Amino acid sequence: MLVPRYWAEARVQHRDSQRQVTIRRFGWSQTSEADAQQLAEARAQEALQRVLAGEDLKRRERLDEYGTEQGAPIREEILEEVGRCVITRNSYGAHCLNVPDVLFADVDFVLPRPKPSGVGVLLTTGIALVATGFATGNAGILYAGIGLLVASAVRGFVSHKANRRAAEQQREQEEKRTLARIEAFSQKHPDWHLRVYRTPNGYRLMALHRLFAPGAPETQAALKELQADLRFVFLCALQQCFRARLTGKPWRMDVKGRLPSRAWPVTGKAWERRKAWCAQYDARTREFAACRYLGSYGSREAHPLALQAMDLHDARCQALSDLPLA
């Protein structure tokens, strides 16, 4: 499992008569900052040589929730280690469970975008006509503009109600389709013990019957068959672990502001601002659940290590509670 505790960044530069090239790269280690710095310098030098050879590479590795294009693991603060599991804080502040071999998969609903109502055109035209009518003293143009404004208000109200009903129907249909796909997977793989949770925007699956290697072809194939998020599938292989969000998304819990200094590691005054925001966020998480347990499919075989991860996940997600989902 690649969830590094120590991070460092190296900066190398090349300058000649034609150009100047500056490269920054991160290094990581489970043992020390010195080892992380050594890896950072080696990666920076390698990237510099590739750029000088004509390869198009990013000059700096920036924060990315799903890892970086250069192949570095995601940089997250380690909050706690519980047995074989590591709990981190992600780029928007949520707590995430990282476990080396217990399969998780979030299967989100895919909903179509609402159709445009045309209210914007009516509103813009109406405002323009009203302004023209006032400016020219033309009552006909003025009344025409007012008429369009009234029409846009009525159409907006009717369209909003219609779109809301349509969205609710589409969501219900998508919920049924997604759950049917999960049930079909279970029937195709009766030896699997699948635990199913409801999330704010889909379902979360957890496999209990045995352990899985995240990057193994059979694991990747199963995740794709379940239509798990493709970036999540990539991240599992890159970090050599599975992930599950344990606490709510801050904007769903009305937490003010964004996580300060989203890039990790953080030091100095930035750390104090981050710590204050995290205290506010962590207190708010007690009032929400990240997911809710719905039921289980397939066999009842359960690996002891998977059961340990399940207990930790369910407790931290408050999955057995009736709290609102976030």
Side-chain angles (χ1 to χ4, degrees), residues 33-211:
E33 289 184 7
D35 287 348
Q37 188 65 49
Q38 184 177 8
L39 177 59
E41 292 170 0
R43 294 184 71 240
Q45 286 291 347
E46 179 195 16
L48 177 63
Q49 295 307 313
R50 291 169 63 184
V51 169
L52 294 177
E55 197 168 341
D56 184 19
L57 294 180
K58 288 186 177 180
R59 302 298 196 259
R60 187 172 187 175
E61 292 173 324
R62 301 191 180 277
L63 183 69
D64 182 350
E65 184 186 347
Y66 285 91
T68 66
E69 293 180 8
Q70 286 81 9
I74 57 175
R75 307 193 307 273
E76 292 182 343
E77 176 188 4
I78 293 178
L79 299 176
E80 189 179 355
E81 295 184 42
V82 183
R84 302 161 66 251
C85 301
V86 178
I87 298 174
T88 59
R89 189 184 299 277
N90 72 7
S91 62
Y92 52 79
H95 299 190
C96 288
L97 175 68
N98 300 266
V99 58
D101 44 21
V102 179
L103 186 147
F104 283 93
D106 278 355
V107 182
D108 291 338
F109 302 142
V110 180
L111 299 171
R113 293 182 179 180
K115 296 180 180 179
S117 63
V119 172
V121 176
L122 287 176
L123 183 61
T124 303
T125 305
I127 292 173
L129 289 176
V130 168
T132 302
F134 272 117
T136 62
N138 189 316
I141 295 178
L142 177 62
Y143 292 145
I146 293 173
L148 283 178
L149 291 179
V150 172
S152 68
V154 173
R155 184 166 182 174
F157 176 76
V158 173
S159 177
H160 174 74
K161 291 188 67 175
N163 285 341
R164 186 172 180 177
R165 285 196 300 270
E168 290 174 353
Q169 292 173 353
Q170 289 169 351
R171 190 174 185 86
E172 291 175 0
Q173 293 171 359
E174 179 63 12
E175 288 179 19
K176 292 177 181 178
R177 281 194 296 265
T178 305
L179 192 57
R181 189 167 69 245
I182 293 170
E183 292 172 347
F185 179 92
S186 178
Q187 292 172 4
K188 185 178 177 181
H189 305 276
D191 56 317
W192 281 54
H193 181 174
L194 273 181
R195 193 169 169 87
V196 182
Y197 302 83
R198 185 68 163 81
T199 64
N201 196 41
Y203 296 105
R204 174 174 296 171
L205 308 178
M206 181 183 187
L208 297 182
H209 58 292
R210 68 176 181 87
L211 304 181

Side-chain angles (χ1 to χ4, degrees), residues 5-10 25-29 32-41 43 61 75 264-265:
R5 178 168 290 278
Y6 299 98
W7 287 91
E9 189 178 27
R25 287 293 182 269
F26 277 94
W28 56 90
S29 170
S32 70
E33 289 184 7
D35 287 348
Q37 188 65 49
Q38 184 177 8
L39 177 59
E41 292 170 0
R43 294 184 71 240
E61 292 173 324
R75 307 193 307 273
W264 184 259

